[in-house]
Amino acid sequence: MNIFRALIRRELSMFFQGPTGFIIISAVLFLISLGFLVVLYGLNGEATPMPVTQIFYETYFFWLILLLIAPAITMRSFAMERASGTYESLMTAPVGDWQVVLSKFTGALIFYMILWTPLLVCSIVVRFYVGESAVLGFGTMFTTSMGILMIGSLYVSIGCFASALTQNQAVAAVGSFAIGAALFFTGFFSYFSGDRTDFFSLLARHISLANHMESFTRGILDLGAIIFFLSLTSLFLYLTHKVVESRRWK
Amino acid sequence: MIEVENLTKHYGQHVALDGITFAVGHGEVVGFLGPNGAGKSTTMRILTTFLAATSGSVHIGGDCVFERPNQVRSRIGYMPENNPLPIDLRARDYLVFRAQLKHLSKDMATKRVDEVVEQCGISNEENRYIGQLSRGYRQRVGMADALLANPELIILDEPTSGLDPNQVRSVRSLIRKLAGKHTVLISSHILSEIEMTCDRVIILHEGKLLASGEMNKLISKSNSKVVAEIRAPLIDIKNWVNEIALEDSELIEQKNGYVRCQFSGTKNNDAREQIFATVNERGWELRELSRHTPSLEDLFVSLTNGKEGNR
Ligand SMILES: Nc1ncnc2c1ncn2[C@@H]1O[C@H](COP(=O)(O)OP(=O)(O)O)[C@@H](O)[C@H]1O
Ligand SMILES: [Mg+2]
């Protein structure tokens, strides 16, 4: 546990090495504010039955942030250590492969969640001005955070996997963006497939991140969605572990 | 401490190690010698559990590196090739972090970091960022890390490469101080380096074990060259050289009547005493008499020639 904490602290300190971490933070801040401008503009008109979080989520900014940010956060996790050689001293210290994989994942996920705090602040501001709990209850805020955490775990685990495969950060970023985008657009396809019941439409509906996420933003804690995200996250963490372990295969 | 048997490593088609067998006992300081690409780093990566071997067995302190990697890791202090360090940490913070990874408790970590900082002479620089340290100091930080958990076995991959002569000297004296308390394995492609620090040497060449044994015995087996500069008529010297039948002699006339005589091939006996005696007896003048230890290349020539001759 001690080791795990030390590893996570090291991961987090790496985000603030050089300007990269700050660039990511500013970019996210910019996108969240832009998204919120759109939301406020919408609220300015007539009352709406939708919670603010759902409106925000229906702007494209949410998905833009998600697709871009996870690769930017995770591209360095394994790739940078491999390129600089510190990977060798890390993996020859008495730490297990799982400890390394999980600490890199957790560190990235914590940084990812920190990036979303401006959204929380914005939401609270809106709530105070509107003063109507239907617009944004604390329950909705909680489930939305859960949704962001769930979908974040998935994208961060994908990013860790891509980063473990290469020692080139750019390749890692493009790789995890590609897998993430593929997942997102496969789900997107379910909008066009309507009520068709062929295999691909069903699959698309099942892995539709948008559908899973929507219930969270409406204040519903959807167990099916949680299981969906957790199992996919575990799958990618398992694959990451396999890649890390593979250097010791004969 | 280390038992390696028939170790083989393939990178795809490329054979990096080809059936190496050796053993290192407790408290020995052993040098791994070989030109670049000989397979030194590969062997060390397998010993430290970073890579798996293609075949063969490796035991460290009785534990198999493939089956019980974590036991092996806690026995070893390792400085990888080129001493990779994170540049964004202060030297001390890095060592504290490494101490935590090596299972030292908080108090113990502070204590040991203080000790290794002192031992490796980085007290004045411990609060600077590693990225701002000179190469020599980074090397000391890498060594300090290897020493942290007071491991039985210390493995250093080319600890003096890229350092200036002063830094090399200080790293060398640090290594020498480790002898006796730890088993030490260091690698180098420079023969004199190993000669100065190690009791025993293991010579690798293209993935094969070429020789292993005490350094001075190996050197005496190879061609060491004796050079003498003598002032005497050339013809006298020529006659004398023929008389004593030293092999492969080469005579070069110098200014002021000196003749530079190089004798190589004096495999078994050192010709220096004989030369000095003659010079004395005949009243010649002598301004240099020395024995050149062979370079790594010379050693390789003599070692591989023997083998190829047998084929
Ligand atoms: N990761 C790798 N992939 C492929 N070949 C490698 C790799 N690492 C080393 N080699 C090759 O294996 C041989 C031995 O390398 P190495 O152990 O680094 O030698 P040394 O440390 O003695 O210079 C070299 O020919 C090198 O090119
Ligand atoms: Mg090497």
Side-chain angles (χ1 to χ4, degrees), chain B residues 288-299:
Chain B
E288 185 187 332
L289 179 57
S290 59
R291 180 170 179 235
H292 291 225
T293 46
S295 65
L296 182 57
E297 288 72 30
D298 295 334
L299 195 59

Side-chain angles (χ1 to χ4, degrees), chain A residues 88-105:
Chain A
E88 195 170 337
S89 31
L90 176 65
M91 300 313 279
T92 51
V95 294
D97 292 352
W98 267 118
Q99 272 174 323
V100 172
V101 171
L102 288 180
S103 64
K104 289 204 175 286
F105 168 75

Side-chain angles (χ1 to χ4, degrees), chain B residues 34-42 44-45 81-82 157-158 187 189:
Chain B
N36 290 325
K40 306 180 294 291
S41 301
T42 302
M44 289 183 156
R45 288 189 179 125
E81 191 166 27
N82 303 323
D157 197 350
E158 307 233 6
S187 75
H189 59 270

Side-chain angles (χ1 to χ4, degrees), chain A residues 11 31 85 93 157 187 204 241:
Chain A
E11 281 305 309
L31 287 175
S157 68
H241 179 254

Side-chain angles (χ1 to χ4, degrees), chain B residues 79 135-137 139-140 143 156 158-161 163-178 186 193 197:
Chain B
M79 184 170 93
R135 239 196 123 127
Y137 273 106
Q139 212 75 358
R140 292 169 190 221
M143 306 246 321
L156 308 170
E158 307 233 6
T160 56
S161 79
L163 298 183
D164 70 34
N166 277 329
Q167 297 168 334
V168 167
R169 214 169 300 141
S170 74
V171 166
R172 213 183 276 148
S173 78
L174 234 136
I175 294 172
R176 248 186 263 121
K177 280 182 206 148
L178 299 177
I186 66 174
E193 194 57 60
T197 40

Side-chain angles (χ1 to χ4, degrees), chain A residues 174-239:
Chain A
V174 170
S176 73
F177 177 78
I179 303 175
L183 203 62
F184 174 67
F185 286 110
T186 314
F188 207 65
F189 179 78
S190 70
Y191 280 132
F192 306 112
S193 65
D195 292 334
R196 272 182 285 163
T197 53
D198 55 300
F199 174 73
F200 191 71
S201 304
L202 284 179
L203 179 76
R205 208 164 307 134
H206 184 66
I207 65 173
S208 166
L209 302 179
N211 285 349
H212 288 309
M213 191 60 205
E214 198 187 318
S215 46
F216 285 117
T217 58
R218 281 208 311 250
I220 302 163
L221 215 49
D222 179 355
L223 193 64
I226 293 180
I227 292 174
F228 168 79
F229 284 123
L230 287 185
S231 48
L232 268 188
T233 304
S234 315
L235 172 69
F236 277 103
L237 287 179
Y238 174 78
L239 291 177

Side-chain angles (χ1 to χ4, degrees), chain B residues 133-284:
Chain B
L133 292 180
S134 70
R135 239 196 123 127
Y137 273 106
R138 285 191 207 192
Q139 212 75 358
R140 292 169 190 221
V141 173
M143 306 246 321
D145 169 37
L147 293 171
L148 261 177
N150 208 0
E152 296 163 60
L153 173 62
I154 292 172
I155 297 184
L156 308 170
D157 197 350
E158 307 233 6
T160 56
S161 79
L163 298 183
D164 70 34
N166 277 329
Q167 297 168 334
V168 167
R169 214 169 300 141
S170 74
V171 166
R172 213 183 276 148
S173 78
L174 234 136
I175 294 172
R176 248 186 263 121
K177 280 182 206 148
L178 299 177
K181 282 171 273 177
H182 308 265
T183 309
V184 184
L185 185 63
I186 66 174
S187 75
S188 176
H189 59 270
I190 302 162
L191 185 124
S192 59
E193 194 57 60
I194 297 283
E195 193 183 2
M196 271 181 262
T197 40
C198 302
D199 317 326
R200 201 154 72 80
V201 62
I202 293 170
I203 300 180
L204 284 184
H205 184 55
E206 293 176 351
K208 291 197 180 66
L209 196 127
L210 213 56
S212 142
E214 276 174 43
M215 196 70 216
N216 41 14
K217 283 194 188 148
L218 280 176
I219 289 180
S220 67
K221 262 193 243 168
S222 72
N223 292 332
S224 56
K225 201 188 308 178
V226 170
V227 174
E229 286 196 6
I230 301 170
R231 179 144 66 183
L234 186 60
I235 186 79
D236 288 355
I237 296 180
K238 267 188 183 157
N239 288 338
W240 165 66
V241 166
N242 285 338
E243 219 172 277
I244 59 174
L246 279 173
E247 304 158 53
D248 297 339
S249 56
E250 191 182 348
L251 305 181
I252 307 155
E253 268 188 290
Q254 309 261 303
K255 280 181 204 157
N256 348 334
Y258 275 98
V259 178
R260 186 177 175 85
C261 321
Q262 294 188 353
F263 308 104
S264 46
T266 52
K267 269 194 179 161
N268 296 316
N269 54 351
D270 185 351
R272 281 178 298 186
E273 285 178 16
Q274 198 181 359
I275 293 169
F276 185 72
T278 315
V279 168
N280 232 356
E281 192 185 296
R282 305 199 181 179
W284 293 344

Side-chain angles (χ1 to χ4, degrees), chain A residues 41-214:
Chain A
Y41 187 74
L43 280 179
N44 206 18
E46 290 306 300
T48 139
M50 279 196 257
V52 183
T53 42
Q54 194 182 348
I55 305 175
F56 178 76
Y57 148 81
E58 289 196 343
T59 65
Y60 292 108
F61 295 102
F62 180 83
W63 296 103
L64 196 61
I65 294 173
L66 191 71
L67 286 179
L68 291 180
I69 275 330
I73 293 177
T74 52
M75 63 183 191
R76 29 185 41 218
S77 77
F78 285 94
M80 189 177 71
E81 292 220 48
R82 281 167 74 147
S84 75
T86 50
Y87 190 59
E88 195 170 337
S89 31
L90 176 65
M91 300 313 279
T92 51
V95 294
D97 292 352
W98 267 118
Q99 272 174 323
V100 172
V101 171
L102 288 180
S103 64
K104 289 204 175 286
F105 168 75
T106 314
L109 192 59
I110 291 174
F111 187 67
Y112 164 90
M113 287 311 278
I114 292 174
L115 289 178
W116 281 107
T117 46
L119 180 63
L120 190 70
V121 176
C122 290
S123 308
I124 290 173
V125 169
V126 169
R127 189 183 144 84
F128 271 108
Y129 274 95
V130 177
E132 246 179 86
S133 61
V135 172
L136 186 67
F138 282 112
T140 320
M141 267 161 66
F142 173 73
T143 53
T144 305
S145 314
M146 269 308 278
I148 289 176
L149 177 65
M150 285 294 118
I151 209 163
S153 329
L154 173 57
Y155 273 75
V156 166
S157 68
I158 291 174
C160 286
F161 171 64
S163 183
L165 286 173
T166 171
Q167 41 177 287
N168 184 326
Q169 291 187 41
V171 172
V174 170
S176 73
F177 177 78
I179 303 175
L183 203 62
F184 174 67
F185 286 110
T186 314
F188 207 65
F189 179 78
S190 70
Y191 280 132
F192 306 112
S193 65
D195 292 334
R196 272 182 285 163
T197 53
D198 55 300
F199 174 73
F200 191 71
S201 304
L202 284 179
L203 179 76
R205 208 164 307 134
H206 184 66
I207 65 173
S208 166
L209 302 179
N211 285 349
H212 288 309
M213 191 60 205
E214 198 187 318

